[in-house]
Amino acid sequence: MGMIRLKIREYASQRGWTLKEVSDRSGVVYSTLRTYARSPGLATVDFTAIQKLAKTFDVMIEELVEVVQE
């Protein structure tokens, strides 16, 4: 099964936002966001959360997601 990494910290850093601010702006629960941001690779993620984060960062989903293992 493939693994992905979400580039949350990179996009938050570019905007000068903390993870808490990203959570507040996106509506994604902070503990979920923190887990996604800390993980080097995830097998499953909540697609709704990815959509919210992409919208918050004003990027396409493809730009937010990095495949780390096929």
Side-chain angles (χ1 to χ4, degrees):
M1 177 181 281
M3 302 278 284
I4 64 166
R5 183 180 78 83
L6 300 179
K7 298 185 240 181
I8 297 168
R9 288 197 185 274
E10 292 92 325
Y11 284 111
S13 178
Q14 289 174 6
R15 288 158 179 78
W17 299 344
T18 64
L19 290 182
K20 178 68 173 126
E21 288 174 306
V22 173
S23 174
D24 292 344
R25 290 171 185 264
S26 67
V28 176
V29 177
Y30 176 73
S31 60
T32 300
L33 185 68
R34 188 181 65 223
T35 299
Y36 289 171
R38 288 182 176 176
S39 179
L42 301 158
T44 61
V45 293
D46 177 6
F47 189 73
T48 303
I50 292 175
Q51 288 178 308
K52 289 178 180 180
L53 290 167
K55 184 175 181 180
T56 299
F57 291 129
D58 194 28
V59 298
M60 294 178 62
I61 290 171
E62 294 85 351
E63 295 173 273
L64 183 63
V65 175
E66 175 184 12
V67 177
V68 292
Q69 180 183 338
E70 295 281 339

